[in-house]
Amino acid sequence: GHKRQPTVFLFTESEIKDEVFLETINSILSTGEVPGLFAKDEMMAMTADLHNDFIRDRLGKEETQANLKQYFTDCVRDNLHIMLCMSPLNPKFPVRARKFPGLVSSPTIDWFLPWPEEALVSVSHGFINDFPLDCSDNVKSSLITHMGRVHKMVSDVCDEYFNSMRRKVYQTPKSYLSFIAAYKSMYNEKLSALKEKEGRVRLGLEKLEQGAKDVEKLKSVLADEQVKLEQTSRKVNDMLETVNMSKAEAKIEEERVEAIKKKCESDAVRIQKDKESCEADLAAAQPHVDKANKAIKEVKEGHISEIKKLANPSDIIKLVFDCVLILFQLPLTPVNPTKITVDKQEYDWFEASFKQAQQLMSAQSFLKDVTIFGASGKDFMNDESIEFLSVYVDRKDFFDPSKAKKASIAAEGLCTYVGAMKAYHGASKIVKPKLVAVEVAEERQKAANEQLKAAENDLDMCRKKMVDLQKTFDQNMRDKRATETRASNLQKQMQQASALIEGLAGERTRWTEDAASFNEQKKQLVGDCAIGCAFVSYCGPFNQQFRDYIVHKKFSADCEARMVPVTRNLDVISFLADIATIGDWNIDGLPTDPLSSQNGILVTSSTRYPLLIDPQGQALSWIKSKERSSLPVWNGQNLVDLSDPKLKDKLEFCMGDGKTLIIVGVEDEIDPMLNPVMEKEIVKKGSRLYINVSDRLMDYHPDFKMFFITRLPNPSFSPELQAKTTLIDFTVTQKGLEEQLLGKVISKEQKALEEQLTQVLEDVNSNTKSLLLLDASLLERLTSNSGNLLEDTQLVAVLANTKAKASEVNAKLIAADETRTNIAEKREQFRPAATRGSVLYFSIVEMSLVNVMYQTSLVQFLQLFMGSMEEAEKASLASKRVSNIIETMTYMTYRYVNRGLYEKDKLTFVLLVTMKILVTAGHLKSSAVPVFLRGGAALDINNVRKKPFKWMSDDAWLNLVQLCESIMFYSNLIGDMISNENVWKRWYEDNRPEELSVPDYEQKLIDQTDIGPFLKLLLIRCLRVDRSILMCKEFIRNTSVMGPAFVEPVTDTIEMVYEEMKPDVPVIFLLSRGSDPTDGIIELCRKKKLPAPAVISLGEGQEPVALKAINAGVVNGTWVLLQNCELGLGLMFEMEAVINKLKGNMDPNFRLFITALPHPEFPLGLLQMCSKVTNDPPSGLRAGLLRSFTPGVMIDQDRLERVETPQWRQLLFALCFLHSIVQERRKFGPLGWCVPYEYSNGDLQSCMLFLEKHLYNGEISWETFQYMVSDVQYGGKITDSLDVRLFRTYTKEWLTEKTCEEG
C-alpha cells in the first residue's frame, strides 16, 4: 500500500477456520479492497504518505481524499500478489465457489495436475543418482525408474481401492519425497548393519577356525606334559617310600622317648610329693630351731666370759654345760654320784664336767660354733647323744631355763637351746629317712632325665632327617603338582575350547551360510529397501488385501521386471521389525494378526505423525499402553480432543517436555494451528529447538510424539492432510477379531488356560529377545578379542556361558512352543464361538453402510459377547458348551441389533449374517453371493446363448445363464429344463413356486444339508425374483445355523428397552413416518411412579435448556427426553463428552432418551455409545397383529377388561386387523395407496378410545363408528378419493355386526 512494497499473501484452504475469511478474500479479489478494514484516520495517514507519488503519477487529478484512496487501492493491487491454494477434491470447494464467485472468476487458475511418470523418475534421479548404492549402474538406473513408477502405481491402485471399497485415498508428491528420503535413510542403516554383521561373522569364523587349529596344537603340548608328569610321578613315588620308612623309624623312636618321658614325669611327680611331705614335717620342727637360735642370740660374749671367770659356778650352770658337751659329743667326767643344789634345793645327781666345759668356752668361736650347730649340726645328732641329753632335760624339776636364768643369762639361753635341740631331734628323727629316700630318688631322677635327654637328642636327629626328607618330598610333590596343574589347565583349556568349538558348530554352520549369503543380501537390499520404504510411505490407508496386492503384485513384480534385485515374496513385517519388538507390541495390546503388526511398523517407522483410522478403539488402547510412561495427565485424562479449547497449551506442554500427545475426535479436518508441528518446521536457536505455533515459539523436544485418532470408519481426509500425516487404517480384521474373541472366551471358560497362554507368550517374547541378544553378544565377544582365542580363558568361559544360556533359552523356547501347541489344541475347541462372534460383529459393521445411524461399537458388541456366555446353558462337554454359546450369542445379537433396525432392513441383516456364517464355515463360496445379489444383470441378451423358452422372460433367462456359469451345482440346469420343459414351465408359472418341489433337483437339494436352502434361494431369485423376499425367509428358517426364531416377528416394547437401560447409556429412538415413542415413554414413567420426564424438542435455542434438564436429571434421578435431535447436532456432538463427564455422579434412576431421524452428520461417538431402537410398524399382517396385542404397545389385559361386553374384545381385534392392513398396504407403493400416508399407532389409539366411550353410552351405532374410523380418525389425513373409497369399504366390511357373530 503506502510503502509500495511487493508482497505475496499465500492462503491455503487448511487455514480457513471461518467462512468469513473467504468473504474478505473475495472482496479483495473483486474490488481490491475490504470495506471497513481501516479506520478513517488510519486511511488518511496512509494516503498522506502517498501524496508526492500521487502528484507525480496522477497528473491533472484533483487531490481529494477519494482520489487518494483510489490511488492507495491501485498501489495495493499493483504490489499485493494473492496466491490461493485449494483442492478441487475438497467437497466444500464447489460450495465456496458458488458462495464467493470471486475465488474462481478473479484469479488466474493454475491447475497443478499429478506429476507425470517422467517427472517422478526425474525427481528420483536427482536424489538417487549420486547416492552411493552397492549395485551396478544398470541396477541403479532400473531402481530410479522403479521409484518413479511406485508413486504412479499407488495412485492407480487408489482408484481401484475406491471402486472396490468406496474409500478415498490420495497420494501427493510429498509422499513421494518422503519415500525417497526414507529409502536413503533405511538403505544406509540396513547396509551399515549388514556390513557390520558381515564383518563380525567373518571374523568370528576366522576365530573359530584358528581356535580349531590351536586345539590341535594343544593336544601335542598336552602329550609332552603327560610324559613329564609320568617321570615326576615315579620319582615322587620312590621318595614317598623312603619318607614312609623314616616316618616309621621316627615313630618307633618317638614312642620309646615318649615312654621314658612319661616314666620320668611320673617319678618326678612322686618325688615331688615325698619332698613336699618331708618339708612339711621339717617345717613342724622348725619352731624348736628358731627357739634355740633365739636363745643363743640372747647369749653374748660377756655372758660367757662371766661364766668363765667363775671358779665354782652354780650347779645349774654346770648341768647346762654338760648338755652342751653332750651335743658337741665331747668327753664327760666319769659318773660319780653327788648332790647338787638348784634353786636352793638339793638333788641327787652325779659330778659335773665343768672343766671340759671351760675348755670349750675358752674357744673364741664358742658362740659361733653353737650357732652353726643350730643351723647345720643339729641334723647330725644321734640317738645316743639325745639319750644322754634326755637325762638332764627331762628333769623339769630343776633343769629349767627360768631357774638357769637366776644363775646366769647365758645359762638360761643355753638351757633353752639344749631343750630345743632335743625337741628338734625328736621331730627330725621321723623326717630324716624320708629325706634320704628323696635324695636317692632325686639322684635316680637326674639319671633318668639324662637318659631322656639323650633319647630326645636321638629323636631330634631322627626328626631332622625326616624333615629333610619331607622337604625333598614336598619339593618333588610341588613339581609334580605344577606339572599336573599345567597338564590339567591344558586339558581344561583344550576341553573348553573343544566344547566351545563343538558347541558353536551350529552357529558356525549358520554363520558360514550367512557369510555366503551376505553378498546376495547386499544386492537384494537395493530392492528390499525400496519395497519396505514404499510400504511405509504409501500402504497405511489400505486394508490387508490391498497391501498384499500392492507389495507383491505391484512393487515386487515391477522390481523383478526391471531386474532390480529383490527378495522373492518379501515379508515386509520381518524385514522392517524383529520378532522381539512385535512381541512387545503384542504384550502392550496390539493384536497378533499380520495387519496389526504392519500397522505397528507403520506407526513406529513413519517419519510423519500417524493419523489412525480406529473405529474399534484398538489402536488407541495399544498406543496408550505402549506410551504409558510418556503420557501426560490432565484431570485424570491423558487424551486431548481436537476441539479442546486448551489444545494449544497442552501441545506446548507435551512438545516441550517430550511427552506423547494423543489427539482424538478427528473427523475430516485438523486445526491449521497444528500445521507447523505436522510439517516439523523446527527452528534451532543455540542448543534449543523451537516450532512457531500461532506466532508463539514453543520448545521442541526430540522425544515428542503425536498421534491423531479418528473413529470414523471411512473418513474423507483431504489430500493435503494425508500428505502431512501418515494415514493408517487400524480397522480390525475378521481374523484378528476372532483371535481376540477367542482369548475372551478362554478367559471366561478356562481362565487358567488363558493366563497360562499369556504367561507363555510373555516368556517366549522375553526368551526370544534374550536369544537374539545372546546371539549378538556371542558374536560380539568372539570378534572383540584381539589375541589368541584359547589363551583368553575368561573369554572362553564367557563364550561357553553365553552359549549355555543360549542353549537353555532355546530349550525353553522349544518347551514353550510345545506348551503353546498344547494350549492351542485346547483353545481350538472354543474357536467356533469366537468365529461366530467375529462374523456377527462384521455383519453389524456392514449394516452401517445401509444406514449411517446403524453404528455399533466393538465395546457394545463385547458386552453382548460376554453376556451371551453368562446366559448360555452350562454343559460338561466343551463341544456342547460351545454350541450353547453360539446359539445364545447369535440370538442375543440378533435381538439387540434387530430392535435398532428399520423394518425394511431387518431381513437384510439376518440374510447378511446367514450368508457370512456359511461363507466363513466354508459351506458356501463367496463367489455365489454376487450371483444372488446381481443375477445376470451384467450379461447382454445378444451375447449369450439363445433363449429356448418363450414362456421365460429375458431377465430370467440372463439370470439362469449366469446361475449355470457360476454355480457348479446348476451347471446342467438348462439342459435339464429343456428335457423336462413342461414340468419346469408349470413350476415357473405357479403363484407360489417356493412351496413346490423343484423339478429334477428336489432330492439333490435335500442331500445338500448345509447349503440346500441357499441353492433353492438362488434358483427362486434367478427365475422368480418377485418371490425372493419370501424365499429369503424360508432360506433363513430352513438353514441349520439359523432357524425359525430369526424370521418370526418380535416386538420390543419401551418397558423391555427400559429394563436393559443403564444411566450412562442413552437410548436413541430412530424415527420414521408415523412412529413417535413420546407417549409410550411418558406412560412408562407414570407406571413406574416417577416424576414426569423432561421433554425438550431441539431446535433454535433449545440446547441450553436440554443441558440444564440433563444436569438436573443426573442429580435428581429423573428422565429426560430429547426430541428431533437431528435438528440439534451441535449439542449432539457435545453429548458424548457431557455424559462421560457426568458418568461418575449419575443417580441410578436417571435415564436419557433421544429421538432422531437419520442424518448423515449425526455424531459417530454418540451413536456408538447408545442403544438404538426403532418404532417401525412390523412387516406382515401377523406381525402387525402381534405387535398391537403386545403388552406395553397397544393392548394389554387392563384394556381388554375395561368394557365388560364380548363386542368390545371382538371390535378391538377388528380395529387392530384394520390397522395392520392399512399399514401393510404401504409397502406396495401406489398399488397400496395412491398417496403415501403416515398411519401411526395414534390413529389406532384414537379409534379404540372412541369405541370405549361409545360402548359406555349404550348400544353401538355402526354407521357412526364406521364414519369416525374411515372419515375422521384415519380419513382425516386421506386426500385421494380412491383411497377414501377403499378405506370406507374396509370399515363397511369389517366394522359391522357380522364381525361380532359366532363363526
mmCIF file of all heavy atoms in Angstrom, residues 683-715:
data_model
loop_
_atom_site.group_PDB
_atom_site.id
_atom_site.type_symbol
_atom_site.label_atom_id
_atom_site.label_comp_id
_atom_site.label_asym_id
_atom_site.label_seq_id
_atom_site.Cartn_x
_atom_site.Cartn_y
_atom_site.Cartn_z
ATOM 1 N N VAL A 683 12.982 -24.882 14.315
ATOM 2 C CA VAL A 683 13.982 -23.808 14.271
ATOM 3 C C VAL A 683 14.967 -24.045 15.408
ATOM 4 O O VAL A 683 14.560 -24.304 16.544
ATOM 5 C CB VAL A 683 13.310 -22.422 14.422
ATOM 6 C CG1 VAL A 683 14.369 -21.332 14.404
ATOM 7 C CG2 VAL A 683 12.286 -22.202 13.325
ATOM 8 N N LYS A 684 16.268 -23.970 15.103
ATOM 9 C CA LYS A 684 17.290 -24.179 16.127
ATOM 10 C C LYS A 684 17.915 -22.848 16.506
ATOM 11 O O LYS A 684 18.396 -22.103 15.656
ATOM 12 C CB LYS A 684 18.362 -25.146 15.622
ATOM 13 C CG LYS A 684 19.364 -25.541 16.697
ATOM 14 C CD LYS A 684 20.290 -26.644 16.215
ATOM 15 C CE LYS A 684 21.230 -27.069 17.341
ATOM 16 N NZ LYS A 684 22.144 -28.146 16.911
ATOM 17 N N LYS A 685 17.860 -22.545 17.804
ATOM 18 C CA LYS A 685 18.494 -21.342 18.332
ATOM 19 C C LYS A 685 19.428 -21.762 19.449
ATOM 20 O O LYS A 685 18.981 -22.168 20.519
ATOM 21 C CB LYS A 685 17.449 -20.359 18.852
ATOM 22 C CG LYS A 685 16.611 -19.721 17.760
ATOM 23 C CD LYS A 685 15.719 -18.623 18.317
ATOM 24 C CE LYS A 685 14.937 -17.915 17.211
ATOM 25 N NZ LYS A 685 14.088 -16.823 17.753
ATOM 26 N N GLY A 686 20.718 -21.701 19.174
ATOM 27 C CA GLY A 686 21.687 -22.192 20.145
ATOM 28 C C GLY A 686 21.579 -23.711 20.223
ATOM 29 O O GLY A 686 21.637 -24.414 19.216
ATOM 30 N N SER A 687 21.402 -24.199 21.426
ATOM 31 C CA SER A 687 21.273 -25.648 21.614
ATOM 32 C C SER A 687 19.815 -26.077 21.727
ATOM 33 O O SER A 687 19.523 -27.254 21.898
ATOM 34 C CB SER A 687 22.015 -26.061 22.890
ATOM 35 O OG SER A 687 21.453 -25.404 24.027
ATOM 36 N N ARG A 688 18.875 -25.134 21.625
ATOM 37 C CA ARG A 688 17.456 -25.450 21.825
ATOM 38 C C ARG A 688 16.717 -25.431 20.491
ATOM 39 O O ARG A 688 17.088 -24.740 19.547
ATOM 40 C CB ARG A 688 16.823 -24.448 22.799
ATOM 41 C CG ARG A 688 17.513 -24.447 24.151
ATOM 42 C CD ARG A 688 16.892 -23.452 25.111
ATOM 43 N NE ARG A 688 15.536 -23.826 25.483
ATOM 44 C CZ ARG A 688 14.797 -23.134 26.367
ATOM 45 N NH1 ARG A 688 15.301 -22.035 26.923
ATOM 46 N NH2 ARG A 688 13.582 -23.522 26.669
ATOM 47 N N LEU A 689 15.651 -26.240 20.457
ATOM 48 C CA LEU A 689 14.821 -26.368 19.265
ATOM 49 C C LEU A 689 13.456 -25.740 19.532
ATOM 50 O O LEU A 689 12.908 -25.846 20.639
ATOM 51 C CB LEU A 689 14.659 -27.840 18.879
ATOM 52 C CG LEU A 689 15.948 -28.636 18.642
ATOM 53 C CD1 LEU A 689 15.633 -30.096 18.382
ATOM 54 C CD2 LEU A 689 16.731 -28.049 17.475
ATOM 55 N N TYR A 690 12.901 -25.111 18.489
ATOM 56 C CA TYR A 690 11.610 -24.429 18.629
ATOM 57 C C TYR A 690 10.752 -24.714 17.398
ATOM 58 O O TYR A 690 11.253 -25.042 16.318
ATOM 59 C CB TYR A 690 11.782 -22.907 18.765
ATOM 60 C CG TYR A 690 12.598 -22.466 19.953
ATOM 61 C CD1 TYR A 690 13.977 -22.279 19.839
ATOM 62 C CD2 TYR A 690 11.983 -22.226 21.180
ATOM 63 C CE1 TYR A 690 14.733 -21.877 20.927
ATOM 64 C CE2 TYR A 690 12.738 -21.799 22.279
ATOM 65 C CZ TYR A 690 14.102 -21.629 22.145
ATOM 66 O OH TYR A 690 14.832 -21.222 23.229
ATOM 67 N N ILE A 691 9.434 -24.583 17.597
ATOM 68 C CA ILE A 691 8.483 -24.561 16.484
ATOM 69 C C ILE A 691 7.553 -23.382 16.719
ATOM 70 O O ILE A 691 7.023 -23.203 17.819
ATOM 71 C CB ILE A 691 7.670 -25.876 16.397
ATOM 72 C CG1 ILE A 691 8.569 -27.036 15.983
ATOM 73 C CG2 ILE A 691 6.532 -25.735 15.392
ATOM 74 C CD1 ILE A 691 7.846 -28.357 15.840
ATOM 75 N N ASN A 692 7.354 -22.592 15.671
ATOM 76 C CA ASN A 692 6.478 -21.426 15.782
ATOM 77 C C ASN A 692 5.036 -21.866 15.558
ATOM 78 O O ASN A 692 4.639 -22.230 14.459
ATOM 79 C CB ASN A 692 6.886 -20.378 14.743
ATOM 80 C CG ASN A 692 6.195 -19.037 14.994
ATOM 81 O OD1 ASN A 692 5.131 -18.989 15.584
ATOM 82 N ND2 ASN A 692 6.810 -17.959 14.521
ATOM 83 N N VAL A 693 4.244 -21.842 16.637
ATOM 84 C CA VAL A 693 2.834 -22.245 16.574
ATOM 85 C C VAL A 693 1.991 -21.030 16.932
ATOM 86 O O VAL A 693 2.058 -20.521 18.054
ATOM 87 C CB VAL A 693 2.540 -23.412 17.541
ATOM 88 C CG1 VAL A 693 1.067 -23.803 17.455
ATOM 89 C CG2 VAL A 693 3.419 -24.606 17.224
ATOM 90 N N SER A 694 1.196 -20.582 15.967
ATOM 91 C CA SER A 694 0.313 -19.418 16.199
ATOM 92 C C SER A 694 1.093 -18.246 16.779
ATOM 93 O O SER A 694 0.725 -17.668 17.813
ATOM 94 C CB SER A 694 -0.848 -19.804 17.128
ATOM 95 O OG SER A 694 -1.640 -20.797 16.551
ATOM 96 N N ASP A 695 2.198 -17.891 16.108
ATOM 97 C CA ASP A 695 3.022 -16.749 16.495
ATOM 98 C C ASP A 695 3.624 -16.893 17.892
ATOM 99 O O ASP A 695 3.946 -15.908 18.544
ATOM 100 C CB ASP A 695 2.213 -15.438 16.410
ATOM 101 C CG ASP A 695 1.775 -15.144 14.996
ATOM 102 O OD1 ASP A 695 2.515 -15.542 14.073
ATOM 103 O OD2 ASP A 695 0.686 -14.568 14.814
ATOM 104 N N ARG A 696 3.745 -18.112 18.375
ATOM 105 C CA ARG A 696 4.398 -18.333 19.663
ATOM 106 C C ARG A 696 5.482 -19.395 19.471
ATOM 107 O O ARG A 696 5.216 -20.499 18.994
ATOM 108 C CB ARG A 696 3.398 -18.801 20.716
ATOM 109 C CG ARG A 696 4.056 -18.962 22.107
ATOM 110 C CD ARG A 696 3.218 -19.779 23.054
ATOM 111 N NE ARG A 696 1.931 -19.176 23.326
ATOM 112 C CZ ARG A 696 1.007 -19.740 24.115
ATOM 113 N NH1 ARG A 696 1.250 -20.915 24.678
ATOM 114 N NH2 ARG A 696 -0.154 -19.147 24.306
ATOM 115 N N LEU A 697 6.729 -19.039 19.853
ATOM 116 C CA LEU A 697 7.819 -20.007 19.766
ATOM 117 C C LEU A 697 7.686 -21.000 20.911
ATOM 118 O O LEU A 697 7.774 -20.628 22.081
ATOM 119 C CB LEU A 697 9.172 -19.299 19.836
ATOM 120 C CG LEU A 697 9.753 -18.772 18.520
ATOM 121 C CD1 LEU A 697 11.091 -18.113 18.774
ATOM 122 C CD2 LEU A 697 9.897 -19.882 17.485
ATOM 123 N N MET A 698 7.457 -22.254 20.559
ATOM 124 C CA MET A 698 7.307 -23.302 21.570
ATOM 125 C C MET A 698 8.541 -24.207 21.547
ATOM 126 O O MET A 698 9.053 -24.553 20.481
ATOM 127 C CB MET A 698 6.053 -24.150 21.293
ATOM 128 C CG MET A 698 4.743 -23.390 21.402
ATOM 129 S SD MET A 698 3.337 -24.509 21.153
ATOM 130 C CE MET A 698 1.957 -23.366 21.321
ATOM 131 N N ASP A 699 8.995 -24.579 22.734
ATOM 132 C CA ASP A 699 10.122 -25.511 22.831
ATOM 133 C C ASP A 699 9.753 -26.833 22.166
ATOM 134 O O ASP A 699 8.610 -27.311 22.293
ATOM 135 C CB ASP A 699 10.480 -25.764 24.298
ATOM 136 C CG ASP A 699 11.230 -24.586 24.895
ATOM 137 O OD1 ASP A 699 12.106 -24.061 24.212
ATOM 138 O OD2 ASP A 699 10.919 -24.191 26.032
ATOM 139 N N TYR A 700 10.734 -27.436 21.508
ATOM 140 C CA TYR A 700 10.503 -28.734 20.867
ATOM 141 C C TYR A 700 11.511 -29.734 21.403
ATOM 142 O O TYR A 700 12.721 -29.501 21.375
ATOM 143 C CB TYR A 700 10.652 -28.627 19.345
ATOM 144 C CG TYR A 700 10.506 -29.947 18.628
ATOM 145 C CD1 TYR A 700 9.249 -30.476 18.354
ATOM 146 C CD2 TYR A 700 11.633 -30.688 18.253
ATOM 147 C CE1 TYR A 700 9.117 -31.701 17.716
ATOM 148 C CE2 TYR A 700 11.512 -31.909 17.608
ATOM 149 C CZ TYR A 700 10.251 -32.412 17.339
ATOM 150 O OH TYR A 700 10.118 -33.624 16.716
ATOM 151 N N HIS A 701 10.998 -30.827 21.948
ATOM 152 C CA HIS A 701 11.858 -31.893 22.468
ATOM 153 C C HIS A 701 11.896 -33.025 21.441
ATOM 154 O O HIS A 701 10.852 -33.422 20.918
ATOM 155 C CB HIS A 701 11.302 -32.411 23.796
ATOM 156 C CG HIS A 701 12.274 -33.242 24.575
ATOM 157 N ND1 HIS A 701 12.604 -34.528 24.220
ATOM 158 C CD2 HIS A 701 12.998 -32.962 25.703
ATOM 159 C CE1 HIS A 701 13.484 -35.012 25.075
ATOM 160 N NE2 HIS A 701 13.744 -34.083 25.982
ATOM 161 N N PRO A 702 13.088 -33.577 21.152
ATOM 162 C CA PRO A 702 13.172 -34.634 20.125
ATOM 163 C C PRO A 702 12.332 -35.869 20.449
ATOM 164 O O PRO A 702 11.973 -36.632 19.552
ATOM 165 C CB PRO A 702 14.674 -34.977 20.097
ATOM 166 C CG PRO A 702 15.353 -33.768 20.634
ATOM 167 C CD PRO A 702 14.419 -33.170 21.633
ATOM 168 N N ASP A 703 12.017 -36.094 21.736
ATOM 169 C CA ASP A 703 11.231 -37.269 22.119
ATOM 170 C C ASP A 703 9.727 -37.066 21.969
ATOM 171 O O ASP A 703 8.947 -37.972 22.247
ATOM 172 C CB ASP A 703 11.535 -37.660 23.570
ATOM 173 C CG ASP A 703 12.963 -38.136 23.741
ATOM 174 O OD1 ASP A 703 13.545 -38.573 22.733
ATOM 175 O OD2 ASP A 703 13.493 -38.070 24.865
ATOM 176 N N PHE A 704 9.329 -35.879 21.540
ATOM 177 C CA PHE A 704 7.897 -35.586 21.412
ATOM 178 C C PHE A 704 7.254 -36.472 20.339
ATOM 179 O O PHE A 704 7.807 -36.679 19.264
ATOM 180 C CB PHE A 704 7.704 -34.116 21.047
ATOM 181 C CG PHE A 704 6.296 -33.752 20.637
ATOM 182 C CD1 PHE A 704 5.256 -33.766 21.549
ATOM 183 C CD2 PHE A 704 6.019 -33.415 19.313
ATOM 184 C CE1 PHE A 704 3.971 -33.446 21.168
ATOM 185 C CE2 PHE A 704 4.734 -33.077 18.918
ATOM 186 C CZ PHE A 704 3.708 -33.100 19.857
ATOM 187 N N LYS A 705 6.100 -37.025 20.679
ATOM 188 C CA LYS A 705 5.332 -37.841 19.733
ATOM 189 C C LYS A 705 3.896 -37.339 19.707
ATOM 190 O O LYS A 705 3.381 -36.858 20.723
ATOM 191 C CB LYS A 705 5.346 -39.319 20.139
ATOM 192 C CG LYS A 705 6.712 -39.971 20.140
ATOM 193 C CD LYS A 705 6.621 -41.412 20.614
ATOM 194 C CE LYS A 705 8.007 -42.051 20.717
ATOM 195 N NZ LYS A 705 7.921 -43.418 21.282
ATOM 196 N N MET A 706 3.274 -37.488 18.534
ATOM 197 C CA MET A 706 1.894 -37.023 18.401
ATOM 198 C C MET A 706 1.123 -38.031 17.544
ATOM 199 O O MET A 706 1.615 -38.488 16.517
ATOM 200 C CB MET A 706 1.853 -35.625 17.779
ATOM 201 C CG MET A 706 0.446 -35.035 17.656
ATOM 202 S SD MET A 706 0.468 -33.254 17.335
ATOM 203 C CE MET A 706 1.339 -33.192 15.772
ATOM 204 N N PHE A 707 -0.053 -38.378 18.010
ATOM 205 C CA PHE A 707 -0.916 -39.316 17.293
ATOM 206 C C PHE A 707 -2.291 -38.681 17.118
ATOM 207 O O PHE A 707 -2.843 -38.115 18.079
ATOM 208 C CB PHE A 707 -1.068 -40.628 18.070
ATOM 209 C CG PHE A 707 0.219 -41.352 18.307
ATOM 210 C CD1 PHE A 707 0.970 -41.126 19.456
ATOM 211 C CD2 PHE A 707 0.704 -42.260 17.384
ATOM 212 C CE1 PHE A 707 2.157 -41.785 19.683
ATOM 213 C CE2 PHE A 707 1.899 -42.933 17.600
ATOM 214 C CZ PHE A 707 2.624 -42.691 18.747
ATOM 215 N N PHE A 708 -2.829 -38.788 15.901
ATOM 216 C CA PHE A 708 -4.190 -38.352 15.627
ATOM 217 C C PHE A 708 -5.060 -39.600 15.455
ATOM 218 O O PHE A 708 -4.658 -40.536 14.755
ATOM 219 C CB PHE A 708 -4.259 -37.507 14.353
ATOM 220 C CG PHE A 708 -3.445 -36.244 14.416
ATOM 221 C CD1 PHE A 708 -2.169 -36.194 13.864
ATOM 222 C CD2 PHE A 708 -3.944 -35.113 15.027
ATOM 223 C CE1 PHE A 708 -1.409 -35.043 13.916
ATOM 224 C CE2 PHE A 708 -3.198 -33.952 15.089
ATOM 225 C CZ PHE A 708 -1.925 -33.909 14.531
ATOM 226 N N ILE A 709 -6.224 -39.604 16.072
ATOM 227 C CA ILE A 709 -7.081 -40.795 16.011
ATOM 228 C C ILE A 709 -8.499 -40.380 15.641
ATOM 229 O O ILE A 709 -9.080 -39.474 16.257
ATOM 230 C CB ILE A 709 -7.077 -41.539 17.355
ATOM 231 C CG1 ILE A 709 -5.665 -42.061 17.641
ATOM 232 C CG2 ILE A 709 -8.080 -42.687 17.350
ATOM 233 C CD1 ILE A 709 -5.513 -42.816 18.927
ATOM 234 N N THR A 710 -9.037 -41.042 14.622
ATOM 235 C CA THR A 710 -10.430 -40.816 14.239
ATOM 236 C C THR A 710 -11.205 -42.112 14.399
ATOM 237 O O THR A 710 -10.682 -43.207 14.131
ATOM 238 C CB THR A 710 -10.538 -40.323 12.785
ATOM 239 O OG1 THR A 710 -11.914 -40.178 12.457
ATOM 240 C CG2 THR A 710 -9.892 -41.300 11.810
ATOM 241 N N ARG A 711 -12.450 -41.977 14.841
ATOM 242 C CA ARG A 711 -13.307 -43.156 14.974
ATOM 243 C C ARG A 711 -14.169 -43.369 13.737
ATOM 244 O O ARG A 711 -14.917 -44.347 13.676
ATOM 245 C CB ARG A 711 -14.209 -43.007 16.203
ATOM 246 C CG ARG A 711 -13.462 -43.144 17.507
ATOM 247 C CD ARG A 711 -14.372 -43.103 18.688
ATOM 248 N NE ARG A 711 -15.082 -41.846 18.773
ATOM 249 C CZ ARG A 711 -15.843 -41.481 19.809
ATOM 250 N NH1 ARG A 711 -15.980 -42.292 20.829
ATOM 251 N NH2 ARG A 711 -16.451 -40.320 19.829
ATOM 252 N N LEU A 712 -14.075 -42.468 12.784
ATOM 253 C CA LEU A 712 -14.874 -42.623 11.570
ATOM 254 C C LEU A 712 -14.371 -43.842 10.793
ATOM 255 O O LEU A 712 -13.175 -43.973 10.533
ATOM 256 C CB LEU A 712 -14.756 -41.373 10.689
ATOM 257 C CG LEU A 712 -15.301 -40.072 11.292
ATOM 258 C CD1 LEU A 712 -14.994 -38.907 10.365
ATOM 259 C CD2 LEU A 712 -16.789 -40.177 11.538
ATOM 260 N N PRO A 713 -15.261 -44.752 10.414
ATOM 261 C CA PRO A 713 -14.801 -45.949 9.692
ATOM 262 C C PRO A 713 -14.329 -45.639 8.273
ATOM 263 O O PRO A 713 -13.490 -46.343 7.734
ATOM 264 C CB PRO A 713 -16.037 -46.854 9.684
ATOM 265 C CG PRO A 713 -17.199 -45.929 9.855
ATOM 266 C CD PRO A 713 -16.708 -44.782 10.677
ATOM 267 N N ASN A 714 -14.877 -44.576 7.666
ATOM 268 C CA ASN A 714 -14.489 -44.227 6.306
ATOM 269 C C ASN A 714 -14.414 -42.711 6.168
ATOM 270 O O ASN A 714 -15.263 -42.081 5.534
ATOM 271 C CB ASN A 714 -15.495 -44.808 5.305
ATOM 272 C CG ASN A 714 -15.047 -44.634 3.869
ATOM 273 O OD1 ASN A 714 -13.900 -44.274 3.602
ATOM 274 N ND2 ASN A 714 -15.953 -44.855 2.933
ATOM 275 N N PRO A 715 -13.397 -42.110 6.783
ATOM 276 C CA PRO A 715 -13.301 -40.646 6.762
ATOM 277 C C PRO A 715 -12.882 -40.136 5.385
ATOM 278 O O PRO A 715 -12.288 -40.851 4.584
ATOM 279 C CB PRO A 715 -12.226 -40.356 7.806
ATOM 280 C CG PRO A 715 -11.367 -41.581 7.790
ATOM 281 C CD PRO A 715 -12.275 -42.733 7.493
#
